[in-house]
């Protein structure tokens, strides 16, 4: 993981936000290569899910044909949206405070191991925020310090093999908190709302308080009727949206995996209640296939169905697509996307008032005065089937993906090291980002072999032509072998080289990043050749 993080910074994929001021935790900037990669991922999603969807035929394995449209909603919405959606009351994590260090941690994210010191018959739980690769060393270091042991006495303590998060312990009494010197300094876990609060207007009292959206989904629900009335879509249909979301995560960590500002790519798919289970299964499988098609290996991806007790309050079924990120312990996976069957919770809550998730069938949650705790919009969000004349509230299946976690997974998957010959034919280790051509920030690089004999002129002309069709890079500086290496690290799938032969027969060499295979193509055919390869 350290190598990936360092390559990301060195080559301009990702920078820490506000780095010159020491950075700000949980915020990341995309550099010149990163911005292209992320745009390509979002565009691939938008094309494959929305704009490229053919509503006239049922896609493979779909229960039938369906329509897809897009939306782009605001980040700040009416505060009532978050009351009716459940985020105002329920969108929280558990946190613990350390009485000694005054630091705050997310209860389910502090990890550690049991350490036993037999001479003193004492067993303590040593926690740390260290990465998984350095966790064991860090636990040992902290335990030795706690028991005041010297290095030569290292074998006097035994450390359990299992790494646990502190929410799995019966109590925190024996816990050495990540930044504490004494045991038992953590408070009981408390709830902490993850929404960023902000105030509208200059006078701004409590009534003007609103929130930065923690998900893009609600913008889709509140526009359900607008879309229905303006675009004449018929059930089943989906509405997609890509945009920023904000969560005040207590312990942002693991590079961009848990950020406080991130982008989501969400679909709300509306269907008849009787059909919702088949559509749920369809979307689950379709979304999984999307990741493998773009290059995530199926060994590193899993589909995890949630257990009953894990399901969100509204959900009839949820599955997560998870990836074996290298910063996680062996056998653990991190969520890339959640596919949730949300039933009619959202549309009914925005229509009638926030529903009480504990009731079956769900009823509007009542406040102390016996009226709806959070009033709905009162708008009719039902759907009338033109053929059967049936009127009902559609059920919703929601595939909700994170663009930043997607980028991170593709970066981790792409990173590889192999051996390739340098200019003198000597084998050298090379770092190569094996990104799918659709995702690669730069599709091709154009080089004149040397900076003379008319080669740069030809190369510049090819570059100009290619630029009209794709993102290309021109480089005439330094040894050609070094130029290839730089492009391998950037994930550029093809390099086009103008050499002595080009002057005679008007052909160039194209080199494949992964196989290192080279072939000659007529200059006039370079655009067509590369266009067909980067699809
Ligand atoms: P987690 O359990 O990891 O906090 P979640 O289940 O709360 O995630 P959802 O609410 O289902 O996540 O959000 C949908 C997607 O948005 C996630 O699958 C993930 O890709 C992305 N996402 C959620 N929170 C973050 C975050 N803090 N940073 C980056 N991406 C995020």
């Amino acid at each position: 993981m350290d190598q990936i993080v360092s390559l990301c910074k060195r080559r301009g994929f990702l920078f820490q936000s506000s780095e010159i001021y020491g950075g700000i935790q949980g915020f990341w900037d995309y550099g010149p290569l990163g911005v292209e990669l992320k745009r390509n991922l979002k565009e691939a999603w938008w094309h494959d899910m929305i704009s490229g969807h053919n509503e006239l035929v049922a896609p493979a394995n779909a229960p039938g044909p369906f329509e897809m449209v897009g939306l782009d909603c605001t980040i700040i919405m009416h505060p009532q949206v978050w009351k009716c959606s459940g985020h105002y009351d329920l969108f929280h994590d558990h946190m613990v405070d350390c009485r000694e260090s005054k630091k705050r941690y997310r209860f389910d994210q502090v990890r550690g191991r049991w350490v036993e010191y037999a001479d003193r018959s004492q067993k303590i739980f040593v926690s740390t925020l260290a990465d998984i690769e350095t966790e064991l060393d860090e636990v040992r270091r902290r335990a030795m310090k706690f028991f005041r042991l010297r290095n030569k006495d290292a074998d006097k303590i035994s450390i359990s093999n299992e790494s646990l998060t502190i929410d799995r312990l019966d109590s925190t009494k024996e816990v050495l908190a990540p930044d504490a010197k004494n045991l038992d300094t953590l408070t009981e876990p408390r709830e902490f709302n993850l929404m960023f609060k902000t105030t509208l207007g200059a006078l701004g009292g409590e009534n003007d308080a609103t929130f930065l959206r923690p998900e893009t989904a609600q913008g889709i629900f509140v526009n359900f009727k607008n879309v229905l009335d303006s675009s004449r879509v018929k059930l089943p249909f989906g509405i997609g949206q890509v945009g920023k979301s904000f969560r005040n995560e207590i312990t942002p960590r693991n590079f961009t995996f848990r950020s406080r500002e991130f982008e989501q790519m969400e679909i709300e798919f509306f269907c008849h209640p009787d059909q919702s289970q088949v559509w749920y299964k369809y979307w689950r499988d379709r979304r999984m296939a999307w990741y493998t098609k773009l290059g995530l290996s199926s060994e590193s991806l899993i589909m995890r169905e949630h257990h009953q007790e894990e399901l969100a309050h509204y959900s009839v079924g949820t599955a997560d697509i998870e990836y074996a990120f290298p910063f996680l312990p062996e056998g653990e996976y991190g969520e890339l996307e959640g596919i949730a069957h949300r039933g009619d919770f959202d549309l009914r809550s925005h229509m009638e008032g926030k529903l009480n998730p504990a009731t079956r069938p769900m009823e509007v949650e009542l406040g102390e005065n016996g009226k709806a705790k959070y009033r709905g919009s009162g708008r009719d969000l039902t759907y009338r089937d033109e053929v059967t004349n049936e009127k009902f509230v559609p059920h919703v299946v929601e595939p909700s993906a994170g663009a930043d976690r997607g980028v991170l997974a593709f970066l981790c998957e792409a990173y590889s090291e192999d051996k390739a010959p340098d200019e003198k034919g000597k084998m050298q280790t090379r770092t190569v980002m094996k990104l799918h051509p659709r995702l690669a920030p730069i599709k091709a690089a154009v080089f004149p072999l040397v900076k003379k004999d008319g080669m740069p002129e030809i190369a510049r002309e090819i570059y100009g032509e290619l630029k009209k069709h794709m993102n290309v890079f021109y480089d005439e500086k330094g040894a050609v072998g070094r130029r290839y290496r730089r492009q391998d690290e950037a994930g550029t799938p093809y390099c086009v080289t103008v050499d002595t032969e080009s002057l005679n027969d008007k052909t160039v060499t194209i080199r494949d990043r992964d196989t290192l295979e080279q072939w000659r193509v007529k200059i006039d055919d370079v655009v067509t050749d590369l266009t067909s390869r980067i699809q």
Side-chain angles (χ1 to χ4, degrees):
M1 195 63 212
D2 289 346
Q3 281 157 314
I4 296 170
V5 173
S6 113
L7 180 132
C8 283
K9 161 125 209 248
R10 182 159 44 84
R11 293 312 314 270
F13 281 99
L14 278 156
F15 306 126
Q16 205 184 359
S17 164
S18 325
E19 199 193 65
I20 59 166
Y21 288 105
I24 169 166
Q25 237 201 334
F27 296 88
W28 296 92
D29 294 336
Y30 286 80
L33 289 181
V35 67
E36 296 293 337
L37 171 60
K38 191 175 179 190
R39 281 177 66 105
N40 291 343
L41 183 74
K42 289 187 288 177
E43 270 161 30
W45 183 93
W46 191 265
H47 173 268
D48 297 352
M49 298 299 124
I50 316 284
S51 60
H53 172 73
N54 179 353
E55 73 284 5
L56 303 179
V57 286
N61 305 320
F66 56 91
E67 293 181 69
M68 294 296 290
V69 292
L71 264 185
D72 186 12
C73 308
T74 59
I75 284 166
I76 293 177
M77 299 170 72
H78 195 289
Q80 197 67 10
V81 169
W82 307 112
K83 292 189 172 154
C84 289
S85 70
H87 287 83
Y88 190 77
D89 282 350
L90 293 167
F91 193 57
H92 49 236
D93 275 335
H94 287 99
M95 58 166 195
V96 283
D97 288 300
C98 177
R99 286 184 287 260
E100 184 188 313
S101 69
K102 307 286 175 241
K103 295 232 166 113
R104 178 169 288 177
Y105 311 99
R106 197 166 132 179
F107 195 40
D108 61 352
Q109 280 176 6
V110 179
R111 306 189 75 94
R113 296 177 192 226
W114 285 106
V115 180
E116 201 166 352
Y117 182 22
D119 290 8
R120 267 208 230 160
S121 324
Q122 200 178 0
K123 196 174 170 189
I124 63 167
F125 188 88
V126 180
S127 69
T128 165
L129 294 178
D131 289 341
I132 199 69
E133 292 126 19
T134 52
E135 183 192 288
L136 182 59
D137 291 343
E138 188 57 18
V139 166
R140 182 174 296 112
R141 193 190 63 76
R142 298 200 64 218
M144 302 269 294
K145 201 164 171 195
F146 179 82
F147 291 122
R148 296 172 193 276
L149 291 171
R150 301 215 193 134
N151 282 348
K152 67 177 173 56
D153 297 323
D155 55 358
K156 291 196 170 164
I157 54 169
S158 55
I159 304 176
S160 74
N161 287 331
E162 196 184 11
S163 156
L164 292 172
T165 46
I166 56 170
D167 60 330
R168 291 171 64 192
L169 305 176
D170 293 336
S171 97
T172 54
K173 287 230 167 326
E174 302 304 324
V175 171
L176 181 66
D179 300 283
K181 292 195 179 77
N182 300 297
L183 294 181
D184 194 16
T185 58
L186 293 175
T187 60
E188 284 296 305
R190 279 186 293 148
E191 285 173 355
F192 172 79
N193 196 301
L194 296 182
M195 284 198 292
F196 277 100
K197 204 172 183 181
T198 187
T199 311
L200 298 180
L203 295 174
E206 192 48 32
N207 288 343
D208 301 313
T210 185
F211 302 93
L212 305 190
R213 68 180 175 200
E215 60 171 34
T216 63
Q218 298 304 321
I220 300 182
F221 294 124
V222 301
N223 275 298
F224 171 72
K225 205 72 179 173
N226 282 339
V227 172
L228 211 55
D229 294 344
S230 60
S231 57
R232 296 169 54 205
V233 282
K234 293 196 176 50
L235 239 53
F237 70 91
I239 306 179
Q241 170 162 225
V242 176
K244 290 258 181 174
S245 291
F246 301 80
R247 296 183 188 179
N248 201 358
E249 299 278 359
I250 303 162
T251 35
R253 58 192 304 207
N254 289 334
F255 209 14
T256 57
F257 182 83
R258 189 166 302 286
S259 307
R260 288 176 164 146
E261 174 173 343
F262 55 96
E263 257 179 297
Q264 291 185 308
M265 310 185 289
E266 295 196 293
I267 295 170
E268 303 305 325
F269 189 80
F270 301 93
C271 60
H272 190 283
D274 293 348
Q275 285 234 302
S276 56
Q277 287 293 349
V278 280
W279 282 112
Y280 167 62
K281 290 198 177 67
Y282 167 71
W283 278 108
R284 230 186 33 181
D285 299 343
R286 166 131 188 235
R287 291 299 306 147
M288 183 81 166
W290 189 76
Y291 288 101
T292 48
K293 210 169 145 216
L294 281 175
L296 291 191
S297 79
S298 43
E299 294 97 75
S300 307
L301 266 186
I302 55 162
M303 172 81 78
R304 195 176 64 81
E305 283 280 351
H306 284 209
H307 303 298
Q308 200 59 38
E309 64 275 15
E310 240 188 305
L311 292 177
H313 56 274
Y314 48 76
S315 189
V316 187
T318 296
D320 286 344
I321 298 176
E322 300 184 339
Y323 181 72
F325 285 99
F327 50 75
L328 296 171
E330 181 89 27
E332 282 191 23
Y333 295 80
E335 178 181 328
L336 269 186
E337 169 160 353
I339 297 103
H341 182 309
R342 295 173 76 119
D344 58 7
F345 176 83
D346 304 273
L347 287 180
R348 276 189 59 209
S349 287
H350 285 305
M351 184 163 65
E352 303 165 22
K354 184 183 165 266
L355 300 178
N356 178 353
T359 52
R360 288 286 176 277
M362 279 186 282
E363 286 168 9
V364 171
E365 190 172 327
L366 302 180
E368 279 164 11
N369 58 6
K371 293 191 177 147
K373 186 174 177 197
Y374 299 123
R375 250 180 337 111
S377 65
R379 294 290 177 87
D380 179 9
L381 302 181
T382 55
Y383 178 84
R384 185 187 289 281
D385 188 310
E386 277 175 12
V387 181
T388 61
N389 220 15
E390 185 190 359
K391 200 172 169 213
F392 56 92
V393 181
H395 274 202
V396 172
V397 176
E398 177 195 76
S400 167
D404 307 79
R405 285 194 190 171
V407 166
L408 187 58
F410 283 105
L411 281 171
C412 293
E413 182 81 28
Y415 185 93
S416 52
E417 285 175 5
D418 62 11
K419 297 248 184 267
D422 65 10
E423 294 93 273
K424 294 175 191 122
K426 212 170 130 208
M427 292 308 266
Q428 300 281 5
T429 305
R430 102 179 154 137
T431 303
V432 48
M433 294 299 280
K434 294 189 173 172
L435 289 164
H436 190 288
R438 274 182 87 190
L439 300 181
I442 302 167
K443 309 299 181 196
V446 184
F447 309 149
L449 184 64
V450 288
K451 227 161 100 182
K452 56 182 186 188
D453 302 335
M455 289 184 211
E457 287 74 9
I458 301 176
R460 280 162 193 241
E461 207 159 301
I462 297 172
Y463 172 73
E465 269 317 300
L466 279 169
K467 263 265 145 149
K468 295 178 192 160
H469 304 270
M470 61 190 80
N471 192 19
V472 275
F473 187 81
Y474 179 78
D475 191 2
E476 56 179 28
K477 284 187 224 96
V480 75
R482 210 162 310 139
R483 283 182 262 163
Y484 282 141
R485 293 292 178 279
R486 281 187 63 76
Q487 293 308 314
D488 291 341
E489 275 194 350
T492 309
Y494 301 103
C495 289
V496 178
T497 308
V498 174
D499 52 21
T500 332
E501 266 182 71
S502 315
L503 307 173
N504 305 323
D505 64 3
K506 297 204 171 357
T507 64
V508 288
T509 335
I510 300 186
R511 167 196 183 262
D512 182 293
R513 173 197 68 200
D514 301 343
T515 62
L516 299 176
E517 203 186 310
Q518 302 205 4
W519 61 94
R520 294 201 76 85
V521 173
K522 287 211 191 80
I523 289 175
D524 289 345
D525 296 339
V526 171
V527 171
T528 350
D529 188 278
L530 288 180
T531 313
S532 69
R533 288 173 193 276
I534 61 167
Q535 304 297 325

